Amino acid sequence: MAVQLRWRLRQVMASRDVWKGTELRGLLARRANFNLSLPSISALMNNQPVQMKTETLQALCTALKCTPDELYGVVPPREVSLDDDPRTSR
């Protein structure tokens, strides 16, 4: 089982009293000098991104005064023993 990442943008926004995409857009412009369209912000707020540019992640962290590990919750893989390895035959 692989490590799973959980996108937590809405939780981070709420913890900073930011509730709307327009508010986040304003913070991105003021604090990070970064412009993101409202449809793009809406997509980030409502869906886990499949890929993200480093520049966008840095801007979100700057605007929300957070770190990437706050935006991405990590679900570690379960412990795997050699017995669980399908390549091992007995």
Side-chain angles (χ1 to χ4, degrees):
M1 176 188 253
V3 169
Q4 292 181 340
L5 298 177
R6 294 236 169 90
W7 185 236
R8 302 186 319 185
L9 177 60
R10 279 192 175 266
Q11 292 91 330
V12 172
M13 289 172 59
S15 71
R16 282 138 176 91
D17 204 28
V18 178
W19 302 101
K20 297 178 182 178
T22 53
E23 293 173 301
L24 179 57
R25 188 170 192 232
L27 288 176
L28 284 165
R30 280 193 313 278
R31 293 181 179 168
N33 196 30
F34 189 80
N35 292 313
L36 201 57
S37 70
L38 283 175
S40 294
I41 289 172
S42 178
L44 287 173
M45 288 175 62
N46 294 307
N47 305 297
Q48 177 155 324
V50 175
Q51 62 184 8
M52 180 179 296
K53 292 181 180 180
T54 304
E55 180 182 29
T56 304
L57 183 59
Q58 289 174 326
L60 286 169
C61 289
T62 299
L64 293 168
K65 297 181 179 179
C66 68
T67 61
D69 64 324
E70 290 176 87
L71 288 172
Y72 281 104
V74 177
V75 180
R78 63 180 176 84
E79 289 290 324
V80 178
S81 71
L82 291 177
D83 294 336
D84 292 338
D85 189 344
R87 296 172 294 177
T88 312
S89 60
R90 291 194 175 194

